[in-house]
Amino acid sequence: MTKRYPTAEVLAQANDTFLDSVSVDCVILAFHQGSLKVLLNKFKISDKWMLPGGFVHIDENVDDAANRILKFRVGIADLYLKQFHLFGNCDRTRKEESLKMLDSWGITPENGHWFLKRFVSMGYYALVEYSKASISIDESVEEVGWYDLDKLPELYADHGAIVEKAINTIRIQIGIVPIGYELLPEKFTMPELRLIYEAILGYELDRRNFQRKMLSVGLINRLDEKRKNGAHKAPYLYSFNREKYEEASLGGVHLMPWTH
């Protein structure tokens, strides 16, 4: 299995391996048990959680680096992936945290070590169906897990700002980003779809108005099946008309006629 995190040997020779001062950070979103989730990982030597990310090889396209990182982390190639912002504040990382990481890898850095230099990071967001993700754990990582978007732990460096920027970007483009199409399984309920939009928008939506708007686009079909919910009234199941959905997406058609 290809390692996502560099070994001490690779770090020592990184000037010939990685693009100088450039990294990639990925906001990986999934929907599970009624909540929008963000995938995080944490080094053994750190008490702060991080977004999945990594460095860019000298002979590698930046988009290819993001896809490589995602494939390693969730086990899926060709996810819905969008580059959304370049994070370049001069104080976005702390030298003492980088020194601690190098020490844990058995490296005594000389002055000007490439790992201690200022990095700019290209931010990507990815949408993945939760049940299809197969999480991989590198031996350098203590833990990897999904966290509710509204209950994230303390994050490393500016990763909290990266998550916030990703959500704001999707919110602005909510009419054309296929969030339900990418996050939900083949069969889903209308409340599940509504919860995804509410998580992105940050407020509750009128149930009937939401359903009317979603069905008016003509990309969702109601099935002759219901979800069994015990004592509660069973809601109908729906599915996306995938052929029409992909045609609409390629043609730049609004996937949802969104208004308040």
Side-chain angles (χ1 to χ4, degrees):
M1 179 173 59
T2 302
K3 295 181 184 298
R4 180 175 144 300
Y5 294 101
T7 63
E9 181 181 0
V10 171
L11 280 169
Q13 301 174 352
N15 286 338
D16 299 323
T17 305
F18 298 117
L19 194 62
D20 192 34
S21 297
V22 178
S23 61
V24 171
D25 287 301
C26 300
V27 181
I28 306 175
L29 300 172
F31 181 75
H32 182 58
Q33 295 181 339
S35 298
L36 197 60
K37 308 283 187 178
V38 180
L39 188 66
L40 301 174
N41 51 232
K42 184 165 72 71
F43 285 109
K44 293 179 181 179
I45 45 81
S46 175
D47 59 353
K48 293 182 180 179
W49 290 84
M50 307 170 70
L51 293 169
F55 306 113
V56 181
H57 292 286
I58 289 176
D59 59 351
E60 182 180 40
N61 296 329
V62 179
D63 286 353
D64 291 340
N67 274 298
R68 169 175 54 81
I69 292 165
L70 288 169
K71 185 177 180 180
F72 172 84
R73 183 52 71 207
V74 299
I76 304 173
D78 300 322
L79 283 175
Y80 184 89
L81 176 68
K82 293 294 181 182
Q83 185 185 107
F84 67 93
H85 192 72
L86 178 67
F87 296 87
N89 286 357
C90 58
D91 60 349
R92 58 179 302 268
T93 59
R94 294 183 178 181
K95 184 176 181 179
E96 58 268 26
E97 290 181 324
S98 299
L99 282 167
K100 188 176 180 180
M101 290 181 186
L102 287 176
D103 182 66
S104 73
W105 290 321
I107 297 176
T108 302
E110 70 280 4
N111 290 332
H113 189 281
W114 73 275
F115 192 73
L116 302 178
K117 293 180 180 180
R118 174 185 174 185
F119 272 78
V120 297
S121 186
M122 183 57 69
Y124 288 81
Y125 71 81
L127 307 177
V128 58
E129 185 186 329
Y130 182 87
S131 64
K132 293 182 178 179
S134 178
I135 305 302
S136 295
I137 299 178
D138 187 280
E139 70 269 13
S140 299
V141 177
E142 180 181 16
E143 190 174 351
V144 175
W146 294 102
Y147 281 81
D148 288 355
L149 176 62
D150 59 353
K151 297 177 182 178
L152 297 180
E154 184 178 3
L155 299 181
Y156 168 80
D158 62 347
H159 288 199
I162 294 175
V163 173
E164 183 178 0
K165 183 68 174 181
I167 298 302
N168 285 339
T169 300
I170 297 173
R171 184 180 297 150
I172 292 169
Q173 301 173 352
I174 199 163
I176 59 174
V177 177
I179 53 176
Y181 181 77
E182 297 292 342
L183 295 178
L184 289 171
E186 182 179 354
K187 298 178 182 179
F188 57 91
T189 67
M190 194 61 70
E192 289 171 336
L193 181 60
R194 190 180 74 252
L195 283 171
I196 291 175
Y197 278 90
E198 288 179 341
I200 296 295
L201 293 168
Y203 57 82
E204 293 185 0
L205 300 169
D206 179 80
R207 176 178 61 84
R208 293 184 178 179
N209 192 38
F210 176 82
Q211 179 168 316
R212 178 182 59 80
K213 287 183 176 182
M214 293 305 298
L215 294 177
S216 70
V217 183
L219 302 177
I220 297 176
N221 302 321
R222 193 176 86 168
L223 307 176
D224 292 328
E225 301 178 50
K226 291 186 176 183
R227 171 80 54 80
K228 295 181 180 179
N229 283 340
H232 299 285
K233 183 178 179 181
Y236 276 100
L237 290 172
Y238 294 80
S239 68
F240 290 105
N241 186 319
R242 299 201 172 257
E243 183 176 339
K244 288 185 178 180
Y245 212 101
E246 290 171 4
E247 285 180 5
S249 180
L250 290 173
V253 177
H254 274 244
L255 305 175
M256 181 174 181
W258 193 256
T259 57
H260 284 275

